[in-house]
């Protein structure tokens, strides 16, 4: 089965017609995982604007106005003072009102003995030790996957990893980017105007996790096409093959109500979507291996390791799109929302996507990535739950610690890259 364009849903959007303006793009933080501002992309002016993009602009503006009202109701002024130089040259102290958004979290970012109950006999002990050390006492789960086979090399805190999941936050942007690329709406270099003379392309939007950019793509695609590609990539399905205790993440049948942000919000934060760590691992593995969506397998005995055969769920026609994505995923770790990874690891290229959001007093931090190593590619997913210390860049930082631990044990030197696909991978 190949990933395909959703027939009957094309709206006539052309990649060559993509210069438009969105109002109030700074009402809510433009970048979900970092306050960083990305460099402006080169502007290309077009002569005409399609009605669909006009509609996307109006919808974004309406949502921005509602978001502004919501934020205004949720902020509290904080009075500070500072010195300024007056007209006579003398310093004068003046009062300044600063507004701070208040958000309370009730979940803990830390937990004791997160490995309790894990079944580990069929896991790679070196990979597991590195993942356990990286996760530490954070309330979360860590997965490592061989993207060439779909084998789960380790799964730390299996209770959380196999749960029904959580809002994917900005990691949903991977599926939206693939959908927009497949439909010909953008390339990695297509400049998208976001108001105030500010333009962004796909590479920078992925690097800095720009919400308005992906909301715009989502509205241009429409809910049916967004859902089509998300489910083709495995959302709403079990990611594993006969993994005991695995629960199902869900993808809704209906668009989020317009009052809550509609399809745009679904494409920037994954609002109303529930994604499991295994589902994100399967998606990142498909990107890493060139388009094969494997059922993930978690052997629990030595015999199961020896008997493991890769099981293909479907083949995705995304090989030509992956280079369009990789620049942005690499930029995320070099200077974007996942740059915290480089505090611990710089030896090999790592491509990934962060995600940060919250729901009902619990904050979520995601990071899905793959690394190019001498041994071959390895996929890692770290998912965190908790309060203020929990966010996507923290998950990226822990991922850097994981790769560092493997590098220091010379794990990446233990086998040549061509043997990574063998069933015995990770049994050393």
């Amino acid at each position: 089965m190949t990933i395909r364009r959703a027939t009957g849903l094309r709206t006539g959007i052309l990649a060559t017609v993509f210069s438009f303006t969105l109002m109030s793009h700074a009402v809510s933080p433009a970048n979900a995982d970092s306050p960083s501002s990305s460099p402006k992309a080169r502007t290309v002016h077009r002569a005409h604007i399609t009605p669909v993009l006009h509609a996307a602009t109006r919808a974004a503006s309406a949502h921005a106005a509602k978001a502004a009202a919501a934020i205004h109701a949720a902020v509290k002024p904080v009075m500070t003072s500072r010195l300024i130089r007056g007209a006579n040259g003398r310093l004068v102290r003046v009062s300044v009102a600063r507004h701070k958004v208040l958000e309370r979290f009730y979940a803990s970012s830390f937990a004791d003995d997160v490995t309790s109950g894990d079944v580990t006999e069929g896991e790679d002990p070196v990979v597991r030790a590195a993942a356990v050390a990286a996760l530490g006492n954070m309330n979360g789960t860590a997965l490592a996957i061989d993207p060439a086979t779909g084998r789960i090399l380790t799964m730390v805190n299996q209770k959380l990893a196999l749960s029904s999941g959580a809002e994917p936050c900005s990691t949903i942007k991977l599926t939206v980017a693939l959908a927009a690329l497949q439909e010909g709406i953008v390339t990695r270099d297509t400049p998208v105007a976001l108001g105030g003379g500010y333009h962004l392309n796909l590479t920078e939007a992925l690097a800095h996790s720009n919400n308005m950019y992906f909301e715009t793509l989502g509205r241009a695609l429409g809910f049916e096409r967004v859902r089509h590609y998300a489910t083709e990539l495995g959302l709403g399905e079990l990611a594993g093959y006969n993994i005991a205790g695995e629960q199902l993440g869900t993808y809704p049948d209906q668009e989020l109500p317009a009052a809550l942000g509609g399809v745009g919000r679904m494409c920037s934060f994954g609002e109303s979507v529930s994604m499991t760590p295994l589902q994100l691992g399967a998606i990142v593995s498909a990107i890493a291996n060139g388009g094969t969506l494997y059922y993930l397998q978690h052997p629990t005995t030595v015999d199961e390791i020896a008997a493991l055969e890769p099981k293909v769920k479907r083949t995705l026609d995304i090989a030509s799109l992956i280079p369009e994505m990789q620049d942005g995923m690499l930029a995320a770790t070099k200077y974007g929302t996942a740059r915290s990874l480089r505090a611990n690891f710089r030896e090999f290229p790592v491509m990934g996507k962060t995600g940060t959001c919250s729901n009902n007093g619990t904050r979520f931090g995601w990071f899905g990535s793959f690394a190019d190593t001498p041994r071959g590619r390895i996929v890692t997913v770290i998912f965190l739950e908790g309060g203020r210390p929990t966010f996507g860049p923290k998950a990226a930082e822990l991922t850097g610690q994981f790769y560092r631990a493997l590098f220091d044990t010379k794990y990446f030197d233990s086998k040549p890259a061509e043997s990574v696909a063998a069933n015995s991978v990770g049994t050393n």
Side-chain angles (χ1 to χ4, degrees), residues 71-159:
I71 289 176
H72 180 73
V75 297
K76 180 179 179 180
V78 178
M79 300 303 298
T80 61
S81 64
R82 63 187 179 96
L83 292 172
I84 64 172
R85 193 170 298 278
N88 59 2
R90 301 179 62 182
L91 292 176
V92 180
R93 184 171 295 278
V94 298
S95 296
V96 179
R98 300 182 183 274
H99 291 78
K100 184 177 182 180
V101 178
L102 300 178
E103 186 174 12
R104 294 186 178 182
F105 300 108
Y106 305 100
S108 174
S109 294
F110 307 98
D112 296 324
D113 197 17
V114 296
T115 64
S116 177
D118 284 1
V119 179
T120 64
E121 184 181 347
E123 295 191 353
D124 184 315
V126 177
V127 177
R128 181 169 180 85
V132 170
L135 192 60
N137 68 341
M138 295 296 293
N139 181 16
T141 181
L143 304 176
I145 301 165
D146 175 7
T149 64
R151 178 191 167 189
I152 297 175
L153 302 173
T154 192
M155 177 166 45
V156 179
N157 193 355
Q158 292 168 15
K159 182 178 179 180

Side-chain angles (χ1 to χ4, degrees), residues 146-336:
D146 175 7
T149 64
R151 178 191 167 189
I152 297 175
L153 302 173
T154 192
M155 177 166 45
V156 179
N157 193 355
Q158 292 168 15
K159 182 178 179 180
L160 180 57
L162 299 174
S163 70
S164 57
E167 193 170 307
C169 313
S170 289
T171 61
I172 196 69
K173 292 168 182 171
L174 294 176
T175 69
V176 178
L178 284 170
L181 289 167
Q182 184 80 342
E183 290 290 319
I185 291 175
V186 293
T187 68
R188 63 181 154 194
D189 298 320
T190 304
V192 178
L194 301 179
Y198 183 61
H199 292 74
L200 210 59
N201 60 26
L202 179 61
T203 296
E204 299 304 320
L206 283 170
H208 297 290
S209 198
N210 187 277
N211 293 329
M212 190 60 73
Y213 178 96
F214 286 95
E215 288 193 14
T216 302
L217 292 191
R219 292 190 175 95
L221 283 161
F223 172 73
E224 292 298 333
R225 284 194 293 184
V226 167
R227 185 180 187 279
H228 168 78
Y229 287 106
T231 54
E232 283 286 282
L233 287 159
L235 295 185
E237 302 174 341
L238 289 175
Y241 184 83
N242 291 338
I243 298 180
E246 182 189 4
Q247 298 182 49
L248 181 66
T250 58
Y251 199 95
D253 293 327
Q254 295 182 336
E255 181 180 350
L256 189 71
L260 299 177
V263 69
R265 186 79 172 180
M266 297 177 76
C267 292
S268 58
F269 283 96
E271 191 96 7
S272 77
V273 179
S274 176
M275 182 181 70
T276 70
L278 268 66
Q279 287 173 332
L280 179 58
I283 291 170
V284 176
S285 293
I287 296 172
N289 66 35
T292 302
L293 187 66
Y294 284 109
Y295 284 103
L296 301 186
Q297 298 185 70
H298 183 236
T300 58
T301 67
V302 174
D303 289 342
E304 288 183 6
I305 297 173
L308 187 145
E309 295 183 1
K311 297 188 182 299
V312 177
K313 179 184 286 188
R314 64 180 68 96
T315 300
L316 310 172
D317 185 19
I318 61 173
S320 63
L321 309 179
I322 292 172
E324 301 282 297
M325 297 270 294
Q326 281 190 177
D327 284 355
M329 296 174 71
L330 180 60
T333 64
K334 281 189 171 182
Y335 57 81

Side-chain angles (χ1 to χ4, degrees), residues 335-352:
Y335 57 81
T337 58
R339 63 189 180 275
S340 55
L341 179 144
R342 292 172 61 82
N344 298 296
F345 190 75
R346 298 186 178 208
E347 278 68 18
F348 309 136
V350 179
M351 285 137 281

Side-chain angles (χ1 to χ4, degrees), residues 342-393:
R342 292 172 61 82
N344 298 296
F345 190 75
R346 298 186 178 208
E347 278 68 18
F348 309 136
V350 179
M351 285 137 281
K353 183 71 195 76
T354 55
T356 304
C357 58
S358 58
N359 188 25
N360 295 327
T362 299
R363 201 176 192 191
F364 307 125
W366 293 91
F367 186 59
S369 68
F370 63 92
D372 273 331
T373 81
R375 182 172 176 152
R377 286 183 169 176
I378 182 172
V379 167
T380 305
V381 172
I382 290 185
F383 169 61
L384 305 173
E385 288 186 331
R388 201 162 298 282
T390 295
F391 59 122

